[in-house]
Every structure is written in structure tokens, then in C-alpha cells.
Amino acid sequence: MVFTGDEFADGSEFILNTLKKQAIHASFFLTGKFYSNPAFASIIQRMKKEGHYLGAHSDQHLLYCDWTKRDSLLVTHEQFTTDLKANYKRMAQLGITKTDAPYFLPPYEWYNTKIAEWTKELGLQLVNFSPGTRSTADYTWPEMGLRYRSSDEIYRSIIDYETKNPQGLNGYILLLHIGTDPRRTDKFHLQLDKLLKELKSRGYTFFKINELLN
């Protein structure tokens, strides 16, 4: 289980309570804005205390490349490096080192080969979610039209993928958001307990990203 966070954290208490109840450690990739937000300080401390992985998601949640022409960079090497180092600096202020957090998940989960190369130059490993489900659409709201996905549709997509894929969800990186825009009232994190119970009943166990990829 992987969660990303930037400006919203409305699901944090429910998510952390559910993970604790289910005895699961997850991975949280957070922006520098999230790490430095005083309103989220207690959330971060609880994540650390309860043994979750805390990683970087860029400092200012930059969009690295064009949505339609992926090989077209929207940031320079210097901008990328400065921003990511700033993310880690904020983490270091909270006692989280690069050694603790060698895996980096790019903002918007959108990147290209050059971004992966620049990440490696900084001694980090880029990771991303596994494709095949609608889990990453848990941030959408109805006014987005065809891009919107209801919580029921997202839940069904995960279970359907697990059922139909020959490998199931073995080694799968399932990404959700720790908070979403208030315009989304159908919050998927409220389905988390049900989802984890169902996946456990199918024989799955859960690992932090550093345990899964080590």
C-alpha cells in the first residue's frame, strides 16, 4: 500500500487507524509542502512512530513533463535537482534521511526516462504505482466529467484486476491519496478497511516499499 500527499490530508486519521487495526505498515510519499505544513505535523509524527515508510514526492509537486508529449520536459535539470533536494531537506529536519528513504515517487506519478536518470544521479530509485486498476483516480470529483471515478468503481476495479490477472496482485504497488479535494464527497479511504480485509482473505500480506523492493 502506497499513499501520496501534497495539500490535503483529510483521510489521514482514518487511514492510519485502519492500518493500525489491520497491523499493516504502508508507504507514504509526501511533498515538501506536506512535510512543512504545521497542520500535518502530528500526522507525520504518528506515521514515524507507527513504523511506516516516509518518502519524497517532490518539494512543490512539480509537473515534470507534458501530459500529451511525455518526452517534452517542463523542468530543467537544475530545477528538478533543487526541488527534490529541498524535499529531502524538509524531511531531514524531521529526522528522515536519504538512507531511510532511498525510493522516490514522482509528483502526479508522471515522468520520463530523463527524470529517472536524474533521480539515479542523486543516488535515489524512482518508483511508481502498478497499472491496471482505477485506484489513482480516488482524487477525482464529479465536476471532472468522464475522468471521475466513484469509490465503488475504484473498489471493483481492484478486485476485478486481482481476479482476472494471472499474477493477481503479487508485487503490486497499489497507490491511493492520503487526502483529496473537498469537492470529492465520496471518499475512497472509507473503503480501505473493507478492501484490506478482502485482500487478506485472498491470501495477501503487505509490505513497505523498501521491504517489497529490497
Side-chain angles (χ1 to χ4, degrees):
M1 292 299 305
V2 163
F3 298 87
T4 60
D6 179 33
E7 58 181 319
F8 302 113
D10 51 290
S12 59
E13 183 176 3
F14 188 95
I15 290 168
L16 290 173
N17 287 345
T18 300
L19 293 173
K20 186 174 183 179
K21 182 173 74 171
Q22 295 279 355
I24 291 172
H25 289 127
S27 302
F28 293 87
F29 290 90
L30 311 171
T31 64
K33 290 189 291 182
F34 193 105
Y35 281 115
S36 62
N37 189 331
F40 301 157
S42 62
I43 298 170
I44 295 165
Q45 289 304 314
R46 181 178 175 186
M47 289 173 182
K48 288 182 61 181
K49 182 179 179 181
E50 295 183 357
H52 300 292
Y53 177 94
L54 288 167
H57 193 46
S58 98
D59 193 58
Q60 296 298 310
H61 206 253
L62 303 180
L63 181 62
Y64 293 148
C65 43
D66 188 88
W67 285 115
T68 56
K69 193 177 180 183
R70 197 167 183 164
D71 60 348
S72 295
L73 286 166
L74 301 179
V75 295
T76 65
H77 190 182
E78 182 180 3
Q79 288 171 327
F80 168 83
T81 302
T82 299
D83 176 81
L84 189 50
K85 284 183 176 180
N87 195 170
Y88 274 92
K89 183 177 181 179
R90 295 184 197 269
M91 292 163 63
Q93 293 169 347
L94 298 170
I96 307 164
T97 67
K98 280 180 64 176
T99 302
D100 299 323
Y103 298 99
F104 160 64
L105 202 153
Y108 299 100
E109 296 76 59
W110 193 245
Y111 65 99
N112 59 23
T113 301
K114 186 60 67 175
I115 295 298
E117 291 174 357
W118 292 349
T119 300
K120 188 175 181 179
E121 287 176 9
L122 293 174
L124 302 168
Q125 174 63 56
L126 186 148
V127 295
N128 204 8
F129 68 90
S130 302
T133 77
R134 297 289 190 178
S135 72
T136 59
D138 66 336
Y139 78 93
T140 60
W141 57 87
E143 289 77 8
M144 287 181 155
L146 294 177
R147 292 170 58 196
Y148 174 68
R149 295 291 181 268
S150 70
S151 290
D152 182 65
E153 183 178 355
I154 293 169
Y155 183 93
R156 191 75 260 152
S157 76
I158 297 169
I159 300 304
D160 286 349
Y161 183 87
E162 193 284 328
T163 302
K164 296 174 183 177
N165 183 28
Q167 298 301 318
L169 292 174
N170 288 314
Y172 197 91
I173 299 175
L174 185 66
L175 186 146
L176 300 170
H177 294 87
I178 193 171
T180 58
D181 192 288
R183 286 172 288 186
R184 182 183 182 96
T185 57
D186 178 22
K187 302 289 187 177
F188 185 74
H189 66 255
L190 298 176
Q191 303 276 346
L192 184 61
D193 190 52
K194 174 185 174 184
L195 176 63
L196 296 179
K197 286 178 180 177
E198 177 61 29
L199 293 179
K200 278 186 173 182
S201 75
R202 297 180 181 220
Y204 290 97
T205 53
F206 299 84
F207 298 90
K208 293 185 290 186
I209 197 79
N210 53 324
E211 298 167 336
L212 179 69
L213 300 181
N214 191 19

